Coordinates of all heavy atoms in Angstrom, one line a residue:
I389 N 46.8 -8.5 -18.2 CA 47.0 -9.6 -17.4 C 48.0 -9.3 -16.3 O 47.8 -9.5 -15.1 CB 47.5 -10.8 -18.2 CG1 46.4 -11.3 -19.2 CG2 47.9 -12.0 -17.3 CD1 46.8 -12.3 -20.2
E390 N 49.2 -8.8 -16.7 CA 50.2 -8.4 -15.8 C 49.8 -7.4 -14.8 O 50.2 -7.4 -13.6 CB 51.5 -7.9 -16.5 CG 52.2 -9.0 -17.2 CD 51.6 -9.3 -18.6 OE1 50.9 -8.5 -19.2 OE2 51.9 -10.4 -19.1
R391 N 48.9 -6.5 -15.2 CA 48.4 -5.5 -14.3 C 47.6 -6.1 -13.2 O 47.6 -5.6 -12.0 CB 47.5 -4.4 -15.0 CG 48.4 -3.4 -15.7 CD 47.5 -2.3 -16.2 NE 46.8 -2.8 -17.4 CZ 46.0 -2.1 -18.1 NH1 45.7 -0.9 -17.8 NH2 45.4 -2.6 -19.2
S392 N 46.8 -7.1 -13.5 CA 46.0 -7.8 -12.4 C 46.9 -8.4 -11.4 O 46.7 -8.3 -10.2 CB 45.2 -8.9 -13.1 OG 44.3 -8.4 -14.0
I393 N 48.0 -9.1 -11.9 CA 48.9 -9.7 -11.0 C 49.7 -8.7 -10.2 O 49.9 -8.8 -9.0 CB 49.9 -10.6 -11.7 CG1 49.1 -11.8 -12.4 CG2 51.0 -11.2 -10.8 CD1 49.9 -12.6 -13.4
L394 N 50.1 -7.6 -10.9 CA 50.8 -6.5 -10.2 C 50.0 -5.9 -9.1 O 50.4 -5.6 -8.0 CB 51.3 -5.5 -11.2 CG 52.1 -4.3 -10.7 CD1 53.4 -4.8 -10.0 CD2 52.4 -3.4 -11.8
A395 N 48.7 -5.6 -9.5 CA 47.8 -5.0 -8.5 C 47.7 -5.9 -7.2 O 47.7 -5.4 -6.1 CB 46.4 -4.8 -9.1
M396 N 47.6 -7.2 -7.4 CA 47.5 -8.1 -6.3 C 48.8 -8.1 -5.5 O 48.8 -8.0 -4.3 CB 47.2 -9.5 -6.7 CG 46.7 -10.4 -5.6 SD 48.0 -11.4 -4.8 CE 48.8 -12.2 -6.1
N397 N 49.9 -8.1 -6.2 CA 51.2 -8.0 -5.5 C 51.4 -6.7 -4.7 O 51.9 -6.7 -3.6 CB 52.3 -8.2 -6.5 CG 52.5 -9.6 -7.0 OD1 52.0 -10.5 -6.4 ND2 53.1 -9.8 -8.1
N398 N 50.9 -5.6 -5.3 CA 51.0 -4.3 -4.6 C 50.1 -4.3 -3.4 O 50.5 -3.8 -2.3 CB 50.6 -3.2 -5.5 CG 51.7 -2.9 -6.6 OD1 52.8 -3.3 -6.4 ND2 51.3 -2.2 -7.7
K399 N 48.9 -4.9 -3.5 CA 48.0 -4.9 -2.4 C 48.5 -5.8 -1.3 O 48.4 -5.6 -0.1 CB 46.6 -5.4 -2.8 CG 45.5 -5.4 -1.8 CD 45.3 -4.0 -1.2 CE 44.7 -3.1 -2.2 NZ 44.4 -1.7 -1.7
E400 N 49.2 -6.9 -1.7 CA 49.8 -7.8 -0.7 C 50.9 -7.0 0.1 O 51.0 -7.1 1.3 CB 50.5 -9.0 -1.4 CG 51.2 -9.9 -0.4 CD 51.8 -11.1 -1.1 OE1 52.1 -11.0 -2.3 OE2 52.1 -12.1 -0.4
A401 N 51.7 -6.3 -0.6 CA 52.8 -5.5 0.0 C 52.1 -4.4 1.0 O 52.6 -4.2 2.1 CB 53.7 -4.8 -1.0
E402 N 51.1 -3.8 0.5 CA 50.3 -2.8 1.4 C 49.8 -3.5 2.6 O 49.9 -3.0 3.7 CB 49.2 -2.2 0.6 CG 48.4 -1.2 1.3 CD 47.2 -0.7 0.6 OE1 47.1 -0.8 -0.7 OE2 46.3 -0.2 1.2
A403 N 49.3 -4.7 2.5 CA 48.7 -5.4 3.6 C 49.8 -5.8 4.6 O 49.7 -5.7 5.8 CB 48.0 -6.7 3.2
I404 N 51.0 -6.2 4.1 CA 52.1 -6.6 5.0 C 52.6 -5.3 5.7 O 52.8 -5.4 6.9 CB 53.2 -7.2 4.2 CG1 52.8 -8.6 3.7 CG2 54.5 -7.3 5.0 CD1 53.7 -9.2 2.7
M405 N 52.7 -4.2 5.0 CA 53.1 -3.0 5.7 C 52.1 -2.6 6.8 O 52.4 -2.1 7.9 CB 53.3 -1.8 4.7 CG 54.6 -2.0 3.9 SD 54.9 -0.7 2.6 CE 54.0 0.7 3.2
F406 N 50.8 -2.7 6.5 CA 49.7 -2.4 7.4 C 49.9 -3.2 8.7 O 49.8 -2.7 9.8 CB 48.4 -2.7 6.7 CG 47.2 -2.5 7.6 CD1 46.7 -1.3 7.9 CD2 46.6 -3.6 8.2 CE1 45.6 -1.1 8.8 CE2 45.5 -3.5 9.1 CZ 45.0 -2.2 9.4
V407 N 50.1 -4.5 8.5 CA 50.3 -5.4 9.6 C 51.5 -5.0 10.5 O 51.4 -4.9 11.7 CB 50.4 -6.9 9.2 CG1 50.8 -7.8 10.3 CG2 49.1 -7.3 8.6
E408 N 52.6 -4.8 9.8 CA 53.8 -4.4 10.5 C 53.7 -3.1 11.3 O 54.2 -3.0 12.4 CB 55.0 -4.3 9.5 CG 55.4 -5.6 8.8 CD 56.0 -6.6 9.7 OE1 56.6 -6.2 10.8 OE2 56.0 -7.8 9.4
E409 N 53.0 -2.1 10.7 CA 52.9 -0.8 11.3 C 51.8 -0.7 12.3 O 52.0 0.0 13.3 CB 52.7 0.3 10.2 CG 54.0 0.4 9.3 CD 53.7 1.3 8.1 OE1 52.6 1.9 8.0 OE2 54.6 1.5 7.3
R410 N 50.7 -1.3 12.0 CA 49.5 -1.0 12.9 C 49.0 -2.2 13.7 O 48.2 -2.0 14.5 CB 48.4 -0.5 12.0 CG 48.9 0.8 11.3 CD 47.9 1.4 10.4 NE 46.8 1.9 11.2 CZ 45.7 2.4 10.6 NH1 45.5 2.5 9.3 NH2 44.7 2.9 11.4
M411 N 49.4 -3.4 13.3 CA 48.9 -4.6 14.0 C 50.0 -5.5 14.4 O 49.9 -6.8 14.3 CB 47.9 -5.3 13.1 CG 46.8 -4.5 12.5 SD 45.6 -3.9 13.8 CE 44.9 -5.3 14.3
P412 N 51.1 -5.1 15.0 CA 52.2 -5.9 15.3 C 51.9 -7.0 16.3 O 52.4 -8.1 16.2 CB 53.3 -5.0 15.8 CG 52.6 -3.8 16.3 CD 51.4 -3.7 15.4
H413 N 50.9 -6.8 17.2 CA 50.5 -7.8 18.2 C 49.7 -9.0 17.6 O 49.6 -10.0 18.2 CB 49.7 -7.1 19.3 CG 48.5 -6.4 18.8 ND1 48.6 -5.1 18.1 CD2 47.2 -6.7 18.7 CE1 47.4 -4.7 17.8 NE2 46.5 -5.6 18.1
E414 N 49.3 -8.8 16.3 CA 48.6 -9.9 15.6 C 49.3 -10.3 14.4 O 48.7 -10.9 13.5 CB 47.1 -9.4 15.3 CG 46.3 -9.2 16.5 CD 44.8 -9.0 16.2 OE1 44.3 -9.7 15.3 OE2 44.2 -8.1 16.8
R415 N 50.6 -10.0 14.3 CA 51.4 -10.2 13.1 C 51.3 -11.6 12.6 O 51.0 -11.8 11.4 CB 52.8 -9.8 13.4 CG 53.7 -9.9 12.2 CD 55.2 -9.7 12.5 NE 56.0 -9.7 11.3 CZ 56.4 -10.7 10.7 NH1 55.9 -11.9 11.0 NH2 57.1 -10.6 9.6
E416 N 51.6 -12.6 13.4 CA 51.6 -14.0 12.9 C 50.3 -14.4 12.3 O 50.3 -15.0 11.2 CB 52.0 -14.9 14.1 CG 52.3 -16.3 13.6 CD 52.8 -17.2 14.7 OE1 53.3 -16.8 15.7 OE2 52.7 -18.5 14.5
S417 N 49.2 -14.1 13.0 CA 47.9 -14.5 12.5 C 47.6 -13.8 11.2 O 47.1 -14.5 10.2 CB 46.9 -14.2 13.6 OG 45.6 -14.4 13.1
L418 N 47.8 -12.5 11.1 CA 47.5 -11.8 9.9 C 48.4 -12.1 8.8 O 47.9 -12.2 7.6 CB 47.5 -10.3 10.2 CG 46.4 -9.8 11.1 CD1 46.6 -8.3 11.5 CD2 45.0 -10.0 10.4
M419 N 49.7 -12.4 9.0 CA 50.6 -12.8 8.0 C 50.1 -14.2 7.4 O 50.2 -14.4 6.2 CB 52.0 -12.9 8.5 CG 52.6 -11.5 8.8 SD 52.5 -10.3 7.5 CE 53.9 -10.9 6.5
N420 N 49.7 -15.0 8.3 CA 49.1 -16.3 7.8 C 47.9 -16.1 6.9 O 47.7 -16.8 5.9 CB 48.8 -17.3 9.0 CG 50.0 -17.8 9.6 OD1 51.1 -18.0 9.0 ND2 49.9 -18.2 10.9
S421 N 47.1 -15.2 7.3 CA 45.9 -14.9 6.5 C 46.3 -14.3 5.1 O 45.7 -14.7 4.1 CB 45.0 -13.9 7.2 OG 44.5 -14.5 8.4
I422 N 47.2 -13.4 5.1 CA 47.7 -12.8 3.9 C 48.3 -13.9 3.0 O 47.9 -14.0 1.8 CB 48.7 -11.7 4.1 CG1 48.1 -10.5 4.8 CG2 49.4 -11.3 2.8 CD1 49.0 -9.5 5.3
R423 N 49.1 -14.8 3.5 CA 49.7 -15.9 2.7 C 48.6 -16.8 2.2 O 48.7 -17.3 1.1 CB 50.7 -16.6 3.5 CG 52.1 -16.0 3.6 CD 53.1 -16.9 4.2 NE 52.9 -17.2 5.6 CZ 53.3 -16.4 6.6 NH1 54.0 -15.3 6.3 NH2 53.0 -16.7 7.8
S424 N 47.6 -17.1 3.0 CA 46.5 -18.0 2.5 C 45.8 -17.4 1.4 O 45.2 -18.1 0.5 CB 45.6 -18.3 3.7 OG 44.8 -17.3 4.0
I425 N 45.7 -16.1 1.3 CA 45.0 -15.4 0.2 C 45.9 -15.4 -1.1 O 45.4 -15.6 -2.2 CB 44.6 -14.0 0.6 CG1 43.5 -14.0 1.7 CG2 44.1 -13.2 -0.7 CD1 43.2 -12.6 2.3
T426 N 47.2 -15.1 -0.9 CA 48.0 -14.8 -2.1 C 48.9 -16.0 -2.5 O 49.3 -16.0 -3.7 CB 49.0 -13.6 -1.8 OG1 49.8 -14.0 -0.6 CG2 48.2 -12.4 -1.5
A427 N 49.1 -17.0 -1.7 CA 50.0 -18.1 -2.1 C 49.4 -18.9 -3.2 O 48.2 -19.2 -3.2 CB 50.3 -18.9 -0.9
E428 N 50.3 -19.4 -4.1 CA 49.9 -20.3 -5.1 C 51.1 -21.3 -5.3 O 52.2 -20.9 -5.6 CB 49.8 -19.5 -6.5 CG 48.7 -18.4 -6.5 CD 48.7 -17.7 -7.8 OE1 49.7 -17.2 -8.3 OE2 47.6 -17.7 -8.4
A429 N 50.7 -22.6 -5.1 CA 51.7 -23.6 -5.3 C 52.1 -23.6 -6.8 O 53.3 -23.8 -7.2 CB 51.2 -25.0 -4.9
I430 N 51.1 -23.5 -7.7 CA 51.3 -23.3 -9.1 C 50.6 -22.1 -9.5 O 49.4 -21.9 -9.2 CB 50.7 -24.5 -9.9 CG1 51.4 -25.9 -9.4 CG2 50.8 -24.4 -11.4 CD1 50.7 -27.1 -9.9
P431 N 51.3 -21.2 -10.2 CA 50.6 -19.9 -10.6 C 49.4 -20.2 -11.5 O 49.3 -21.1 -12.3 CB 51.7 -19.2 -11.5 CG 53.0 -19.8 -11.0 CD 52.7 -21.2 -10.6
F432 N 48.3 -19.5 -11.2 CA 47.0 -19.6 -11.9 C 47.2 -19.6 -13.4 O 46.6 -20.4 -14.1 CB 46.1 -18.5 -11.4 CG 44.7 -18.6 -12.1 CD1 43.8 -19.7 -11.7 CD2 44.3 -17.7 -13.0 CE1 42.6 -19.7 -12.3 CE2 43.0 -17.8 -13.6 CZ 42.2 -18.8 -13.2
T433 N 48.1 -18.7 -13.9 CA 48.3 -18.6 -15.3 C 48.8 -19.9 -15.9 O 48.5 -20.1 -17.1 CB 49.3 -17.4 -15.6 OG1 50.5 -17.7 -14.9 CG2 48.7 -16.1 -15.2
E434 N 49.5 -20.7 -15.2 CA 50.0 -21.9 -15.7 C 49.0 -23.0 -15.7 O 49.2 -24.1 -16.3 CB 51.3 -22.4 -14.9 CG 52.4 -21.4 -15.1 CD 53.7 -21.9 -14.3 OE1 53.7 -23.0 -13.9 OE2 54.5 -21.0 -14.1
L435 N 47.9 -22.9 -14.9 CA 46.9 -23.9 -14.9 C 45.9 -23.8 -16.0 O 45.1 -24.7 -16.3 CB 46.1 -23.7 -13.5 CG 46.9 -24.0 -12.3 CD1 46.1 -23.6 -11.0 CD2 47.4 -25.4 -12.2
L436 N 45.9 -22.6 -16.7 CA 44.9 -22.4 -17.8 C 45.4 -23.2 -19.0 O 46.6 -23.1 -19.4 CB 44.8 -20.9 -18.1 CG 44.2 -20.1 -16.9 CD1 44.3 -18.6 -17.3 CD2 42.8 -20.5 -16.6
P437 N 44.4 -23.8 -19.7 CA 44.8 -24.5 -20.9 C 45.3 -23.6 -22.0 O 44.8 -22.5 -22.2 CB 43.5 -25.2 -21.4 CG 42.5 -24.7 -20.5 CD 43.0 -23.9 -19.4
E438 N 46.3 -24.0 -22.7 CA 46.9 -23.2 -23.8 C 46.0 -22.9 -24.9 O 46.0 -21.8 -25.5 CB 48.2 -23.8 -24.4 CG 49.3 -23.9 -23.4 CD 50.6 -24.5 -24.0 OE1 50.7 -24.5 -25.2 OE2 51.4 -24.9 -23.2
E439 N 45.0 -23.8 -25.1 CA 44.1 -23.6 -26.2 C 43.0 -22.6 -25.9 O 42.1 -22.2 -26.7 CB 43.5 -24.9 -26.7 CG 42.7 -25.6 -25.6 CD 43.6 -26.5 -24.8 OE1 44.8 -26.6 -24.9 OE2 43.0 -27.2 -23.9
L440 N 42.9 -22.1 -24.7 CA 41.9 -21.1 -24.2 C 42.1 -19.8 -25.0 O 43.3 -19.3 -25.1 CB 42.1 -20.9 -22.7 CG 40.9 -20.1 -22.0 CD1 39.7 -21.0 -22.0 CD2 41.4 -19.9 -20.6
P441 N 41.1 -19.3 -25.6 CA 41.2 -18.0 -26.3 C 41.8 -16.9 -25.5 O 41.5 -16.8 -24.2 CB 39.8 -17.7 -26.8 CG 39.1 -19.0 -26.7 CD 39.7 -19.8 -25.6
A442 N 42.6 -16.0 -26.0 CA 43.4 -15.0 -25.3 C 42.4 -14.1 -24.5 O 42.7 -13.8 -23.4 CB 44.2 -14.2 -26.2
D443 N 41.3 -13.7 -25.1 CA 40.4 -12.8 -24.4 C 39.7 -13.5 -23.1 O 39.6 -12.9 -22.1 CB 39.3 -12.3 -25.3 CG 38.4 -13.3 -26.0 OD1 38.9 -14.5 -26.1 OD2 37.3 -13.0 -26.3
E444 N 39.4 -14.8 -23.3 CA 38.9 -15.6 -22.1 C 40.0 -15.8 -21.1 O 39.7 -15.7 -19.9 CB 38.4 -16.9 -22.6 CG 37.7 -17.8 -21.6 CD 36.4 -17.2 -21.0 OE1 35.9 -16.3 -21.5 OE2 36.0 -17.8 -20.0
R445 N 41.2 -16.0 -21.5 CA 42.3 -16.2 -20.6 C 42.5 -14.9 -19.8 O 42.6 -15.0 -18.5 CB 43.5 -16.6 -21.4 CG 44.8 -16.7 -20.6 CD 45.9 -17.1 -21.6 NE 47.1 -17.3 -20.8 CZ 47.5 -18.4 -20.3 NH1 46.7 -19.5 -20.4 NH2 48.6 -18.5 -19.6
A446 N 42.5 -13.8 -20.5 CA 42.7 -12.5 -19.8 C 41.6 -12.2 -18.8 O 41.8 -11.8 -17.7 CB 42.8 -11.4 -20.8
R447 N 40.3 -12.5 -19.2 CA 39.2 -12.3 -18.3 C 39.3 -13.1 -17.0 O 39.1 -12.7 -15.9 CB 37.9 -12.6 -19.0 CG 36.6 -12.3 -18.2 CD 35.4 -12.9 -18.8 NE 35.3 -14.3 -18.9 CZ 35.1 -15.1 -17.9 NH1 34.8 -14.7 -16.7 NH2 35.0 -16.4 -18.1
L448 N 39.6 -14.4 -17.2 CA 39.8 -15.3 -16.0 C 40.9 -14.8 -15.1 O 40.7 -14.9 -13.9 CB 40.0 -16.7 -16.5 CG 38.9 -17.4 -17.2 CD1 39.3 -18.8 -17.8 CD2 37.7 -17.6 -16.2
I449 N 42.0 -14.4 -15.7 CA 43.1 -13.9 -14.8 C 42.8 -12.7 -14.1 O 43.0 -12.5 -12.9 CB 44.4 -13.8 -15.7 CG1 44.9 -15.1 -16.2 CG2 45.5 -13.0 -15.0 CD1 46.0 -15.1 -17.2
R450 N 42.1 -11.7 -14.8 CA 41.7 -10.5 -14.1 C 40.7 -10.8 -13.0 O 40.8 -10.3 -11.9 CB 41.0 -9.6 -15.1 CG 41.9 -8.7 -15.9 CD 41.2 -7.6 -16.7 NE 40.0 -8.1 -17.5 CZ 40.1 -8.6 -18.7 NH1 41.3 -8.6 -19.4 NH2 39.1 -9.0 -19.4
E451 N 39.8 -11.7 -13.2 CA 38.8 -12.1 -12.2 C 39.5 -12.8 -11.0 O 39.2 -12.4 -9.8 CB 37.7 -13.0 -12.7 CG 36.7 -12.2 -13.6 CD 35.6 -13.2 -14.1 OE1 35.5 -14.4 -13.7 OE2 34.9 -12.7 -15.0
Y452 N 40.4 -13.7 -11.3 CA 41.1 -14.4 -10.2 C 41.9 -13.5 -9.3 O 41.8 -13.6 -8.1 CB 41.9 -15.5 -10.9 CG 42.7 -16.4 -9.9 CD1 42.1 -17.4 -9.2 CD2 44.1 -16.1 -9.7 CE1 42.8 -18.2 -8.3 CE2 44.8 -16.9 -8.8 CZ 44.2 -17.9 -8.1 OH 44.9 -18.7 -7.2
Y453 N 42.7 -12.7 -9.9 CA 43.6 -11.9 -9.1 C 42.8 -10.7 -8.6 O 43.2 -10.2 -7.5 CB 44.8 -11.4 -9.9 CG 45.8 -12.6 -10.1 CD1 45.9 -13.2 -11.3 CD2 46.6 -13.0 -9.1 CE1 46.7 -14.3 -11.5 CE2 47.4 -14.1 -9.2 CZ 47.5 -14.7 -10.4 OH 48.3 -15.8 -10.5
G454 N 41.8 -10.3 -9.2 CA 40.9 -9.3 -8.7 C 40.2 -9.7 -7.4 O 40.1 -8.9 -6.4
R455 N 39.8 -11.0 -7.4 CA 39.2 -11.5 -6.1 C 40.2 -11.6 -5.0 O 39.9 -11.3 -3.8 CB 38.6 -12.9 -6.4 CG 37.4 -12.8 -7.2 CD 36.7 -14.2 -7.4 NE 35.6 -14.1 -8.3 CZ 35.4 -14.9 -9.3 NH1 36.2 -15.9 -9.5 NH2 34.3 -14.8 -10.0
K456 N 41.5 -11.9 -5.3 CA 42.5 -11.9 -4.3 C 42.8 -10.5 -3.8 O 42.9 -10.4 -2.6 CB 43.8 -12.5 -4.9 CG 43.7 -14.0 -5.1 CD 45.0 -14.6 -5.6 CE 45.1 -16.1 -5.6 NZ 45.7 -16.6 -4.4
T457 N 42.8 -9.6 -4.6 CA 43.0 -8.2 -4.2 C 41.8 -7.7 -3.3 O 42.1 -7.1 -2.3 CB 43.1 -7.3 -5.5 OG1 44.2 -7.7 -6.3 CG2 43.3 -5.8 -5.1
E458 N 40.6 -8.0 -3.7 CA 39.5 -7.7 -2.9 C 39.5 -8.4 -1.5 O 39.2 -7.8 -0.5 CB 38.2 -8.1 -3.6 CG 37.9 -7.2 -4.8 CD 36.7 -7.8 -5.6 OE1 36.0 -8.7 -5.2 OE2 36.5 -7.3 -6.7
A459 N 40.0 -9.6 -1.5 CA 40.1 -10.3 -0.2 C 41.1 -9.6 0.7 O 40.8 -9.5 1.9 CB 40.4 -11.8 -0.5
L460 N 42.2 -9.2 0.1 CA 43.2 -8.4 1.0 C 42.6 -7.1 1.5 O 42.8 -6.8 2.6 CB 44.4 -8.2 0.1 CG 45.3 -9.4 -0.2 CD1 46.3 -9.1 -1.2 CD2 45.9 -9.9 1.1
D461 N 41.8 -6.4 0.6 CA 41.1 -5.2 1.1 C 40.2 -5.5 2.2 O 40.1 -4.8 3.2 CB 40.3 -4.6 -0.1 CG 41.2 -3.7 -0.9 OD1 42.2 -3.1 -0.4 OD2 40.8 -3.5 -2.1
E462 N 39.4 -6.6 2.1 CA 38.5 -6.9 3.1 C 39.2 -7.3 4.4 O 38.7 -7.0 5.5 CB 37.6 -8.1 2.6 CG 36.6 -7.7 1.5 CD 35.9 -8.9 0.9 OE1 35.8 -10.0 1.6 OE2 35.3 -8.7 -0.1
L463 N 40.3 -8.0 4.3 CA 41.0 -8.4 5.5 C 41.5 -7.1 6.2 O 41.3 -7.0 7.4 CB 42.2 -9.3 5.1 CG 43.2 -9.7 6.3 CD1 42.4 -10.6 7.3 CD2 44.4 -10.3 5.7
M464 N 42.1 -6.2 5.5 CA 42.6 -5.0 6.1 C 41.4 -4.2 6.7 O 41.5 -3.6 7.8 CB 43.4 -4.2 5.2 CG 44.7 -4.8 4.9 SD 45.9 -3.8 3.9 CE 45.0 -3.6 2.4
A465 N 40.3 -4.2 6.0 CA 39.1 -3.4 6.5 C 38.6 -4.0 7.8 O 38.1 -3.2 8.7 CB 38.0 -3.4 5.5
C466 N 38.8 -5.2 8.1 CA 38.3 -5.8 9.3 C 39.1 -5.2 10.5 O 38.6 -5.2 11.6 CB 38.6 -7.3 9.3 SG 37.4 -8.2 8.3
Y467 N 40.3 -4.7 10.3 CA 41.1 -4.2 11.3 C 41.3 -2.7 11.3 O 42.1 -2.1 12.1 CB 42.5 -4.9 11.3 CG 42.4 -6.4 11.6 CD1 42.2 -7.3 10.6 CD2 42.4 -6.8 12.9 CE1 42.1 -8.7 10.9 CE2 42.3 -8.1 13.2 CZ 42.1 -9.1 12.2 OH 42.0 -10.4 12.5
D468 N 40.7 -2.1 10.3 CA 40.9 -0.6 10.1 C 39.6 0.0 9.7 O 39.2 -0.1 8.6 CB 42.0 -0.4 9.0 CG 42.3 1.1 8.8 OD1 41.8 1.9 9.5 OD2 43.2 1.3 7.9
N469 N 39.0 0.7 10.7 CA 37.7 1.3 10.4 C 37.7 2.4 9.3 O 36.7 2.7 8.7 CB 37.1 1.9 11.7 CG 36.7 0.8 12.7 OD1 36.4 -0.3 12.3 ND2 36.8 1.1 14.0
S470 N 38.9 3.0 9.1 CA 39.0 4.0 8.1 C 38.8 3.4 6.6 O 38.5 4.2 5.7 CB 40.3 4.8 8.1 OG 41.4 4.0 7.8
R471 N 38.9 2.1 6.5 CA 38.7 1.5 5.2 C 37.3 1.1 4.9 O 37.0 0.7 3.8 CB 39.6 0.3 5.1 CG 41.1 0.6 5.1 CD 41.9 -0.7 5.1 NE 43.3 -0.5 5.0 CZ 43.9 -0.3 3.9 NH1 43.4 -0.3 2.7 NH2 45.2 0.0 3.9
K472 N 36.4 1.2 5.9 CA 35.0 0.7 5.7 C 34.2 1.8 5.0 O 34.4 3.0 5.1 CB 34.4 0.3 7.0 CG 35.1 -0.9 7.5 CD 34.5 -1.3 8.9 CE 35.2 -2.6 9.4 NZ 34.7 -3.0 10.6

């Protein structure tokens, strides 16, 4: 579970560095896009019912944060042909 969240956090940091280094002219727009992908008013893990079996909980968390990580990859790929 923590690996999924850590992977998304690492990808978020990578995306921010990418924007800062290679896309400074579009910084505000891209930072808003990154935040829209990663921001959570309430962490997903806290939204899951406690009675959910551990294996199902882990699967849902992996999928949720995996999709966020993929979305960050796709965002960066839109601006970097070497990622396609």
